[in-house]
Amino acid sequence: METKQSLSEDQMWNTAHNIAKVLVQEQQRIEASKDGIRSQLGKVIAYLRANISQNPSANSENFFKYLKTLADSSKSVKQTDRTPDYCRSIHKTCTDYLKNTEVNPKDILEILGWTFRLFNYYKVTPLEDFEKLSVSNRQMEIQTVAKSQNLQIGNKIEANITKISGNKVTYQLLNIFSKTVKEPKHYTSLKTGQTVIVEITEIEDGVPKKIKYIKPK
């Protein structure tokens, strides 16, 4: 039974940033002109998403066993001479940053989703600029995606429920950021992983600041 609690959005973002930073460094060390680590990471994410879909109560330990198996067996299934190095780097980095934290498989999936996007962005950014750019880049990414939707107060949009803790429900919006809302009237009828419709009740710089549950999709 999975008993670990979910991390806060800031904790997940910082973890994703740190993992992306190390993996970009690893890519540069192994073969700077390629992005094989990002490609392998995409496959890891696909595995984790399928695993959660098939078994919503999956234990995060299964994920780390999968990473170890992937790293140990990559020589026999390698797609390039560098594939074993890519798999070992992902295994070590994810273990270093995720295994000893209170994190569940759904949080890992969200963290690695952010890591995947950050990797592509940061590979062209000088590593020494990572720290000072990380927060502003994420805010910029969120604003860019949100403004492209031309969202307004009163709009009703789809959201995926990523966590329910007490009467607090965390919704993922636009597949890029989350909002946690108290839903005392509805939380008992909602489920993690469910797609629902929420209404934007407050907006700032084009980004939804407050939302509320409306109905299931």
Side-chain angles (χ1 to χ4, degrees):
M1 179 68 71
E2 178 63 54
T3 58
K4 292 180 177 178
Q5 299 176 347
S6 294
L7 302 180
S8 70
E9 185 176 353
D10 285 344
Q11 287 174 315
M12 290 195 288
W13 169 250
N14 289 332
T15 303
H17 164 72
N18 288 329
I19 294 174
K21 175 182 176 180
V22 173
L23 291 182
V24 168
Q25 291 173 325
E26 282 292 283
Q27 183 65 64
Q28 292 182 347
R29 178 183 64 82
I30 297 169
E31 196 171 20
S33 63
K34 305 293 184 181
D35 63 352
I37 285 183
R38 184 173 183 268
S39 177
Q40 291 299 321
L41 181 63
K43 296 175 183 178
V44 169
I45 292 171
Y47 159 83
L48 183 57
R49 182 179 293 113
N51 186 259
I52 292 174
S53 177
Q54 294 172 4
N55 182 14
S57 62
N59 192 302
S60 58
E61 289 302 316
N62 292 335
F63 171 69
F64 295 109
K65 289 179 181 177
Y66 165 75
L67 288 184
K68 186 176 187 307
T69 300
L70 189 66
D72 291 344
S73 62
S74 55
K75 286 185 178 180
S76 59
V77 297
K78 66 180 181 182
Q79 297 162 343
T80 73
D81 289 341
R82 296 299 189 181
T83 301
D85 295 322
Y86 298 151
C87 294
R88 284 193 289 268
S89 293
I90 292 171
H91 173 230
K92 183 179 186 309
T93 306
C94 287
T95 299
D96 288 348
Y97 283 95
L98 294 171
K99 192 166 186 178
N100 293 322
T101 61
E102 294 296 321
V103 62
N104 61 46
K106 294 184 179 64
D107 283 352
I108 293 176
L109 181 61
E110 188 163 354
I111 288 168
L112 295 185
W114 287 343
T115 300
F116 188 80
R117 291 192 290 270
L118 284 170
F119 185 99
N120 200 39
Y121 188 85
Y122 285 149
K123 72 178 182 179
V124 297
T125 303
L127 292 176
E128 59 268 26
D129 292 340
F130 266 34
E131 296 299 331
K132 63 182 180 183
L133 288 177
S134 60
V135 174
S136 60
N137 281 342
R138 180 170 181 255
Q139 292 171 341
M140 185 183 303
E141 184 182 10
I142 290 172
Q143 286 187 359
T144 298
V145 173
K147 287 183 177 179
S148 71
Q149 303 297 313
N150 191 28
L151 298 174
Q152 305 293 330
I153 292 176
N155 282 169
K156 298 177 176 61
I157 63 175
E158 289 185 8
N160 183 258
I161 296 175
T162 59
K163 182 175 67 176
I164 299 176
S165 180
N167 66 356
K168 294 181 179 179
V169 180
T170 300
Y171 301 97
Q172 187 179 55
L173 307 175
L174 308 176
N175 293 320
I176 191 171
F177 71 106
S178 299
K179 286 290 178 185
T180 299
V181 180
K182 286 185 178 180
E183 298 283 10
K185 295 182 180 179
H186 305 292
Y187 76 96
T188 56
S189 63
L190 300 175
K191 296 180 180 178
T192 301
Q194 183 180 6
T195 300
V196 299
I197 304 298
V198 297
E199 179 179 347
I200 300 171
T201 58
E202 188 173 334
I203 201 163
E204 184 174 278
D205 294 331
V207 180
K209 188 175 181 181
K210 292 184 179 180
I211 59 173
K212 65 178 182 181
Y213 170 79
I214 296 298
K215 61 181 180 180
K217 180 184 177 185

